Amino acid sequence: MSYSYLSHLECPQCGEQYEAGAVQQLCVCGSPLLVRYKLEELKEAWSKAELSGRKADLWRYHELLPVSDEGNVVTLGEGMTPLLELPRLGADYGIARLMMKDESLVPSGSFKARGAAVGISKAKELGVAKLAMPTNGNAGAAWALYAARAGIEATIVMPQDAPKITRSEVALAGARLYLVNGLISDAGKIVAREVADKGLYDASTLKEPYRIEGKKTMGLEIAEQLGWEMPDVILYPTGGGVGLIGIYKALQELKEIGWVQGRLPRLVAVQADGCAPIVKAWEEKAERSEFWPDSATAAFGINVPKALGDFLVLKAVYETDGAAVAVSDAEMSAEQAKLARLEGSFICPEGAAAFAAARKLAERGWIKPHECVVVLNTGAGIKYPDSVQVEAPLLEPGEFI
Amino acid sequence: MSYSYLSHLECPQCGEQYEAGAVQQLCVCGSPLLVRYKLEELKEAWSKAELSGRKADLWRYHELLPVSDEGNVVTLGEGMTPLLELPRLGADYGIARLMMKDESLVPSGSFKARGAAVGISKAKELGVAKLAMPTNGNAGAAWALYAARAGIEATIVMPQDAPKITRSEVALAGARLYLVNGLISDAGKIVAREVADKGLYDASTLKEPYRIEGKKTMGLEIAEQLGWEMPDVILYPTGGGVGLIGIYKALQELKEIGWVQGRLPRLVAVQADGCAPIVKAWEEKAERSEFWPDSATAAFGINVPKALGDFLVLKAVYETDGAAVAVSDAEMSAEQAKLARLEGSFICPEGAAAFAAARKLAERGWIKPHECVVVLNTGAGIKYPDSVQVEAPLLEPGEFI
């Protein structure tokens, strides 16, 4: 058996194919590229039983990942995060089986580690020495850390309003860090110039094809953790939307190799009221979104006014009879507190947005009481200290309660 | 087979035994109690092969844990954290095989989650409704969150200088939070009074016997991850020392059931120059430590001037031919940066202390170049935003690098 069944890269827009053995960025038509595998061969060669002795990280699925030589794997132990039952919150929503895929338990405390692990490993395999990317914080932190482990130089540009802790992660990893007095779209322009001027590898969202492959492992894990059954609904907080595209891709690949059967889960793209381009497009039944002006939300990770992969997100939502839902910052905040009080988990605002959407969809009857629902919490609440206001009495030594 | 092979509680100081089916705190002689199992029976009934299909969390070792009924398990998916190879840092230290047990990948981002998961589960099994504890921050955060999931009311008292994010965790979980203008020893006095006045369950370090059992799983995992071999040296940042006591206990139990053979690893208790009571005791070959006045260190978790279990820590160090080492805050800070730059991991100051000690012991020749060394990183660096100073250029939109 091969370590990877990687075949080639393919454009989902124009169908053009590219060789996977060399650095590729976007398709000539401007679309992101998707990684294709030799699924027919893999179907014959691979069985679920082979997974049983493997480590509980995302590399257990290496046949469906793009790294050809195991020696190029750059890992910090990411993946196989808990899929937790939330019985008390489920009762509150009126959903029999509510689960959280908890992506706070990964290096750097955010699901961005998955994309970084696979993206950096493949970059190393391709001989990349220097890369650059814009970020809303968490992705830049993850890529800077994995790049350090790989010995790759990273240039990271982020809005000055991005979570402060992500600056520390990037700086400590020894990356070149720049702040911008603007949004991720402004950071993107700076990176584009830097990439063009210095011939860097462009690791911007979807401008390299491998980050999706890392994110896709969330879908593989959910299926394995449910005993190779699929849930009825998956809710995902959507900025760039890579995770949703990845989960959709993962489940399709699992279907093709015969490891799951039946209907795919209805995929729900969740956004913030203050930045909801995908929701607007979905409501208008459009194929693509439009740039969302003056975007604003406390859930910084989903403050993405225009996603390069918007058409792929919308396609996944349409084809699974899913939905796109926006929630307010106040709803997120309330849901974050609910999670902690009822289930003991301190989730990030983006994850809280997805929970708030689950509550709404259950209220509307779009989610049925008997359905099995998985909500993605994309990161640790501890990265967002300002999301909680604390008032506590201060005692002097010798004083008592 | 039983879910747990729990037998009884035993005092390591006077030998008194207690029944494990009722709430027990300290021994009448004042010593912490240790949990004992029916190891002879377990040796016959259990085999390593049975672990293979189990989930990658600490409950995979339920036979060696004190919860009798699986229905009482309160879990957030804690345990089976990565044991990472650190080849570049190892080369820097001159150690052939340097590894990090990375406890940042647990709920609440600190290894305190292990003690909380097992401690709260057992408290639930014993019918506890309300508990109280003093904390340097991370333990209180973990216990508050698990208590919320279990429906137990928690009262948490912490120094006002404890990491701010841990306040948020406690408050969000709905616990009763009090700050004290002093040290954890001052918080302890407040808790003792509250426990006495209100008849609460005292969850202070080692005042209930089950937290050690949670921490012990680090030792079980290290052995399993190394293929049931033991490393030569384990370094552990030591405040209350529960983890070190637990790892020692775990390896002894594994020896008794025949799952590991040979010499136990040399256990190293690492402290800060500004709070080194265990190191001082070890240097004086004493059985117990003395209260360390005016203690101070940036590694807040190991700012414990007098640990209730000091004699158990020292015993583990003496009996394994280990050592006790103090490092400066500046050394921790330098090591934290090294870890990020060379290996891509943002560790906590306490973990950095243990790495700084490994470097020292390698320089002194106490650790030999061919030895297999495991360093405990007890938590995520992201919980300590002030441990990194960042300066980054700020660009305006339209400006370039």
Side-chain angles (χ1 to χ4, degrees):
Chain A
M1 282 200 66
S2 306
Y3 186 72
S4 167
Y5 281 72
L6 175 63
S7 170
H8 62 278
L9 302 172
E10 188 178 84
C11 176
Q13 186 164 273
C14 74
E16 185 70 27
Q17 298 198 353
Y18 295 85
E19 201 226 315
V23 169
Q24 306 287 0
Q25 309 255 216
L26 294 176
C27 179
V28 287
C29 80
S31 166
L33 295 173
L34 296 179
V35 180
R36 298 299 178 201
Y37 297 86
K38 299 170 206 152
L39 295 178
E40 288 294 316
E41 264 182 58
L42 186 57
K43 188 174 183 173
E44 297 305 313
W46 206 23
S47 76
K48 294 170 189 171
E50 286 180 61
L51 294 181
S52 71
R54 295 187 183 175
K55 262 196 203 169
D57 63 36
L58 63 81
W59 298 100
R60 64 197 277 106
Y61 310 112
H62 57 77
E63 287 89 345
L64 269 178
L65 290 172
V67 178
S68 302
D69 177 351
E70 188 174 3
N72 291 319
V73 168
V74 180
T75 180
L76 292 164
E78 58 289 331
M80 204 39 108
T81 54
L83 184 66
L84 296 173
E85 303 272 354
L86 305 178
R88 296 171 78 196
L89 194 68
D92 197 48
Y93 290 2
I95 297 175
R97 195 156 184 219
L98 178 66
M99 278 177 288
M100 170 166 67
K101 180 69 176 163
D102 188 6
E103 294 288 302
S104 56
L105 304 198
V106 287
S108 82
S110 135
F111 78 135
K112 300 287 183 180
R114 291 182 189 265
V118 175
I120 288 286
S121 296
K122 189 66 192 180
K124 185 180 169 192
E125 186 157 275
L126 293 170
V128 169
K130 297 183 180 190
L131 62 80
M133 66 188 297
T135 177
N136 267 343
N138 281 320
W143 282 73
L145 287 161
Y146 281 88
R149 187 148 161 96
I152 292 173
E153 183 192 284
T155 299
I156 309 288
V157 187
M158 66 170 72
Q160 67 170 335
D161 293 335
K164 282 238 167 55
I165 190 68
T166 62
R167 289 186 199 180
S168 305
E169 295 175 273
V170 172
L172 200 67
R176 298 170 71 215
L177 169 65
Y178 295 87
L179 306 177
V180 59
N181 180 20
L183 292 177
I184 189 171
S185 40
D186 300 301
K189 287 171 199 158
I190 295 167
V191 165
R193 172 76 70 96
E194 189 73 0
V195 163
D197 284 357
K198 305 223 172 110
L200 308 179
Y201 184 63
D202 192 342
S204 307
T205 307
L206 295 176
K207 288 194 180 168
E208 59 76 50
Y210 303 106
R211 187 198 287 210
I212 297 181
E213 299 304 299
K215 295 285 188 73
K216 148 182 119 173
T217 57
M218 292 188 289
L220 301 176
E221 290 177 16
I222 290 169
E224 183 177 358
Q225 288 171 313
L226 291 174
W228 305 108
E229 298 286 331
M230 291 186 284
D232 297 299
V233 178
I234 297 178
L235 296 103
Y236 175 83
T238 305
V242 180
L244 193 139
I245 301 168
I247 289 169
Y248 180 59
K249 184 169 189 283
L251 296 177
Q252 284 181 312
E253 288 171 354
L254 287 178
K255 265 194 97 153
E256 283 199 51
I257 63 169
W259 286 23
V260 296
Q261 274 85 36
R263 248 189 94 167
L264 291 193
R266 307 192 314 273
L267 298 176
V268 181
V270 180
Q271 300 200 296
D273 280 347
C275 182
I278 301 279
V279 176
K280 181 165 179 283
W282 179 76
E283 285 170 350
E284 294 166 355
K285 301 193 169 50
E287 271 181 43
R288 287 172 192 270
S289 67
E290 288 162 30
F291 186 91
W292 187 277
D294 304 318
S295 65
T297 167
F300 212 78
I302 54 176
N303 191 347
V304 179
K306 165 74 180 169
L308 187 58
D310 56 358
F311 67 105
L312 295 170
V313 173
L314 285 159
K315 187 162 174 263
V317 172
Y318 292 134
E319 292 193 353
T320 60
D321 295 318
V325 180
V327 301
S328 70
D329 284 14
E331 286 169 321
M332 292 175 208
S333 187
E335 219 57 48
Q336 191 191 36
K338 276 274 181 185
L339 253 290
R341 276 172 199 241
L342 293 180
E343 301 290 2
S345 189
F346 181 11
I347 66 173
C348 66
E350 296 83 5
F355 277 101
R359 181 187 294 277
K360 270 193 186 180
L361 291 173
E363 277 169 8
R364 287 183 202 163
W366 190 90
I367 294 175
K368 304 282 181 300
H370 67 273
E371 290 191 308
C372 174
V373 177
V374 173
V375 181
L376 262 295
N377 172 42
T378 48
I382 52 176
K383 295 195 89 170
Y384 302 79
D386 300 335
S387 65
V388 186
Q389 298 308 314
V390 182
E391 281 178 42
L394 177 65
L395 306 172
E396 292 300 318
E399 254 190 289
F400 296 101
I401 296 172
Chain B
M1 283 201 64
S2 306
Y3 187 72
S4 167
Y5 281 73
L6 175 63
S7 170
H8 61 278
L9 302 172
E10 188 178 86
C11 175
Q13 187 165 271
C14 74
E16 185 71 27
Q17 297 197 353
Y18 296 84
E19 201 226 314
V23 168
Q24 306 287 0
Q25 308 255 216
L26 293 176
C27 179
V28 287
C29 79
S31 165
L33 295 173
L34 296 178
V35 180
R36 297 300 178 201
Y37 297 85
K38 299 169 206 153
L39 295 178
E40 288 295 315
E41 262 183 58
L42 186 56
K43 188 174 182 172
E44 297 306 312
W46 205 23
S47 76
K48 294 171 190 171
E50 286 180 61
L51 294 181
S52 71
R54 294 187 182 175
K55 263 195 205 171
D57 63 35
L58 62 81
W59 299 100
R60 65 197 276 107
Y61 311 111
H62 57 77
E63 286 88 347
L64 269 178
L65 291 173
V67 178
S68 301
D69 177 352
E70 188 175 3
N72 291 319
V73 168
V74 180
T75 181
L76 292 165
E78 57 289 331
M80 204 41 106
T81 54
L83 183 66
L84 294 173
E85 303 273 354
L86 304 178
R88 296 171 78 194
L89 193 69
D92 197 48
Y93 290 3
I95 297 174
R97 196 157 184 218
L98 178 66
M99 278 176 289
M100 170 166 66
K101 180 70 174 161
D102 189 6
E103 294 288 302
S104 57
L105 303 199
V106 287
S108 81
S110 133
F111 77 136
K112 300 287 183 181
R114 292 183 188 264
V118 175
I120 288 286
S121 296
K122 190 65 191 178
K124 185 181 170 192
E125 187 158 274
L126 293 169
V128 169
K130 297 182 181 193
L131 61 81
M133 66 187 297
T135 177
N136 267 342
N138 281 319
W143 282 73
L145 287 161
Y146 282 88
R149 187 150 162 95
I152 294 174
E153 183 192 284
T155 299
I156 309 288
V157 187
M158 67 169 72
Q160 66 171 335
D161 292 336
K164 283 238 167 56
I165 189 70
T166 62
R167 291 185 198 179
S168 304
E169 294 175 272
V170 172
L172 201 67
R176 298 170 71 215
L177 170 65
Y178 295 87
L179 306 176
V180 59
N181 180 20
L183 292 176
I184 188 171
S185 40
D186 300 301
K189 287 171 197 155
I190 296 167
V191 165
R193 172 76 69 94
E194 188 73 0
V195 162
D197 284 357
K198 307 223 171 109
L200 306 179
Y201 184 64
D202 192 342
S204 307
T205 307
L206 294 176
K207 288 193 182 169
E208 60 76 49
Y210 302 106
R211 187 198 288 213
I212 298 180
E213 299 305 299
K215 294 287 188 75
K216 148 183 120 174
T217 57
M218 292 188 288
L220 301 176
E221 290 176 17
I222 289 170
E224 183 177 357
Q225 288 172 314
L226 292 174
W228 305 107
E229 298 286 331
M230 292 187 284
D232 297 299
V233 178
I234 298 178
L235 296 104
Y236 175 82
T238 305
V242 179
L244 194 138
I245 300 167
I247 290 170
Y248 181 59
K249 185 170 188 284
L251 296 176
Q252 284 181 311
E253 288 171 356
L254 287 178
K255 266 192 98 153
E256 283 198 52
I257 63 168
W259 286 24
V260 298
Q261 276 86 35
R263 248 189 94 167
L264 291 193
R266 309 196 308 277
L267 298 176
V268 181
V270 179
Q271 300 200 298
D273 280 347
C275 183
I278 302 279
V279 176
K280 181 164 179 284
W282 179 76
E283 285 170 350
E284 295 165 353
K285 299 192 169 51
E287 269 180 44
R288 287 173 191 272
S289 66
E290 287 163 30
F291 186 91
W292 187 276
D294 304 317
S295 65
T297 166
F300 212 78
I302 54 176
N303 191 347
V304 179
K306 165 75 181 169
L308 187 58
D310 56 357
F311 67 106
L312 296 170
V313 173
L314 285 159
K315 186 162 174 264
V317 171
Y318 292 134
E319 292 193 353
T320 60
D321 295 318
V325 180
V327 302
S328 70
D329 284 14
E331 287 169 320
M332 292 174 208
S333 187
E335 218 58 47
Q336 191 191 37
K338 277 272 182 187
L339 253 290
R341 276 171 198 244
L342 292 180
E343 302 290 1
S345 190
F346 181 12
I347 66 173
C348 66
E350 295 84 4
F355 277 101
R359 181 187 294 276
K360 269 191 186 178
L361 291 174
E363 278 169 6
R364 286 183 202 161
W366 191 89
I367 293 175
K368 304 282 182 298
H370 66 275
E371 290 191 309
C372 173
V373 177
V374 173
V375 181
L376 262 296
N377 172 43
T378 48
I382 52 177
K383 294 195 90 169
Y384 302 79
D386 301 335
S387 65
V388 185
Q389 298 308 314
V390 182
E391 282 177 42
L394 177 64
L395 306 172
E396 292 299 318
E399 256 192 289
F400 297 100
I401 295 171

